[in-house]
Amino acid sequence: GGITISTYQFDITAARNTGKKKKGIHNVTGKMLLNKATKGLNKESATAHIWDFAGQDVYHTTHALFLSPNSIFLLVFNLLDDNAETSINYWLNSLLAHISKPTVYLVGTHLDHKKFHGNRAVVDERLERLRQSLKWIEEQFTEIWLTAVSCTTDEGLPALRHEVQCSIAGLEKMGKQVPRSYNLFEAFLAEFRYIGTCPVITWRELLKIGALCGIDNNEALSKCLEIMYETGDILYFGFDSRLRDLIILDPEWLIQVMSILFSEKQKWIMSGVLAHTDLCHIWHDY
């Protein structure tokens, strides 16, 4: 369907106490151990929403709908692909077109391939070439991290997981307190999400719900929606006057709707032209 959403819960206490990262391009080392960093501290958990974006060309134009600030981005590439830099530059530029100063991890896979057995220098050389190719763009990112991993042997994954947790802990809005009314409002919307077949609500309807929760003006409602958007709970396009009045309560629902439209099985996609009259057939369930 283009995007898969899952959640991941972890202890954020250690990540908050491993020191502030420096700007620039870094290698993932994982030298700071979590258990040493948490001694004598009360543990606190955090939940991350993980959005797995498909790489097929047909989905590229829809990805921008789901990119939000207050996020960490992982760009995965195959170490065996000698032309990976071209795709990496494409995705980095695409990311910069929608997000200001993001933090991104460039993760090379297939570290367990026989080509690299006993020859780590080949991998290090590849990552160094990638580092040099990104020098011109590094100032536009908060951080760029480079690493190589194996999904077969788990090599490199614990260190990557740790650094990503540290980056999450360092996000600007992580740990910020919000009014109790926001939590109540979020609970209300969670109930509305599963009513009917179309989890879309208007601004006017939200104002009524907000009033019940103590959010009684447009500015407060807008701030609450922005927080929910940045945490991946809803889709809210407050910056777009054409879309501002419609709030999507279930991002996964929109993913399903868009995947039907862009499915390669649809005959109208083959020509590259979609007639408005076809939409009633494509989205007959909605």
Side-chain angles (χ1 to χ4, degrees), residues 10-17 43-46 165 168-170 174-175:
F10 65 96
D11 173 21
I12 200 173
T13 313
R16 283 178 171 164
N17 292 275
K43 292 190 176 182
E44 184 180 357
S45 65
Q165 290 175 5
I168 293 173
M174 177 58 69

Side-chain angles (χ1 to χ4, degrees), residues 27-222:
N27 288 330
V28 173
T29 61
K31 289 182 178 179
M32 177 68 73
L33 298 178
L34 289 175
N35 58 350
K36 290 185 179 180
T38 57
K39 285 185 177 180
L41 297 175
N42 294 322
K43 292 190 176 182
E44 184 180 357
S45 65
T47 300
H49 294 264
I50 302 172
W51 295 55
D52 183 4
F53 291 75
Q56 294 94 323
D57 292 347
V58 71
Y59 294 118
H60 287 189
T61 55
T62 64
H63 287 350
L65 292 172
F66 305 98
L67 297 178
S68 65
N70 203 45
S71 301
I72 305 298
F73 300 91
L74 275 70
L75 181 54
V76 181
F77 66 96
N78 190 338
L79 287 168
L80 299 171
D81 182 2
D82 293 330
N83 299 312
E85 280 80 359
T86 300
S87 295
I88 290 172
N89 280 314
Y90 168 83
W91 285 112
L92 290 179
N93 280 292
S94 178
L95 186 58
L96 287 173
H98 301 94
I99 304 295
S100 175
K101 304 289 284 187
T103 290
V104 63
Y105 284 75
L106 305 181
V107 184
T109 62
H110 295 77
L111 183 58
D112 55 287
H113 191 272
K114 60 182 180 181
K115 178 179 179 180
F116 308 126
H117 284 178
N119 198 5
R120 175 72 194 205
V122 175
V123 177
D124 292 339
E125 181 182 345
R126 177 69 190 282
L127 294 180
E128 181 57 30
R129 289 203 312 270
L130 182 57
R131 173 197 293 271
Q132 294 302 322
S133 72
L134 296 173
K135 284 292 185 180
W136 67 278
I137 204 174
E138 69 171 290
E139 291 299 323
Q140 299 181 58
F141 290 82
T142 297
E143 295 172 340
I144 299 178
W145 291 85
L146 305 177
T147 191
V149 302
S150 166
C151 295
T152 302
T153 66
D154 279 355
E155 184 178 357
L157 288 176
L160 173 62
R161 187 180 300 114
H162 169 69
E163 294 295 354
V164 169
Q165 290 175 5
C166 291
S167 291
I168 293 173
L171 288 171
E172 181 182 356
K173 295 184 179 180
M174 177 58 69
K176 294 286 182 69
Q177 292 186 341
V178 298
R180 185 174 299 176
S181 57
Y182 286 18
N183 294 326
L184 182 58
F185 181 74
E186 184 178 0
F188 262 97
L189 292 193
E191 294 296 324
F192 276 86
R193 183 173 298 163
Y194 303 107
I195 298 177
T197 59
C198 184
V200 179
I201 194 168
T202 66
W203 183 269
R204 185 185 295 256
E205 291 171 316
L206 283 179
L207 277 174
K208 294 179 182 178
I209 299 173
L212 295 175
C213 303
I215 303 173
D216 55 3
N217 61 75
N218 287 343
E219 183 179 358
L221 180 59
S222 181

